[in-house]
Amino acid sequence: MTSSGPDLSDGTVRLRMPDRGDVDAIHEACQDPAIIRFTRVPFPYSRLHAQAFVRNAQHELRTGTGVHLVAADPQTDALL
């Protein structure tokens, strides 16, 4: 379960805070050349980057300096 923070769903997609269980899926997604090309993720993107992203998302929410959400399937909670 994710920590408190925005959790929005329209029944088709769920936007929620990333959590430790998402690290592998985030790491895998950030291997996509389009992600690298059109975002500011580091290259090469390591599993440590994904772990830091999750940690920083929680920290930024607590401090009010940012909100980072992931898109998930509302039924399975798998990252999209």
Side-chain angles (χ1 to χ4, degrees):
M1 187 51 86
T2 62
S3 65
S4 62
D7 192 335
L8 311 166
S9 179
D10 66 358
T12 301
V13 68
R14 177 181 176 213
L15 300 177
R16 61 165 175 77
M17 293 294 298
D19 65 29
R20 286 180 284 175
D22 298 323
V23 168
D24 289 336
I26 292 168
H27 175 250
E28 182 179 338
C30 290
Q31 304 310 302
D32 183 326
I35 298 276
I36 294 164
R37 181 173 180 201
F38 295 110
T39 68
R40 299 181 308 176
V41 300
F43 176 79
Y45 192 88
S46 71
R47 192 168 190 285
L48 292 174
H49 287 116
Q51 291 169 330
F53 171 74
V54 170
R55 265 193 323 274
N56 290 339
Q58 299 299 327
H59 172 76
E60 289 182 15
L61 179 67
R62 279 192 308 274
T63 61
T65 58
V67 177
H68 301 280
L69 304 175
V70 296
D73 181 288
Q75 281 75 44
T76 67
D77 204 34
L79 265 58
L80 299 175

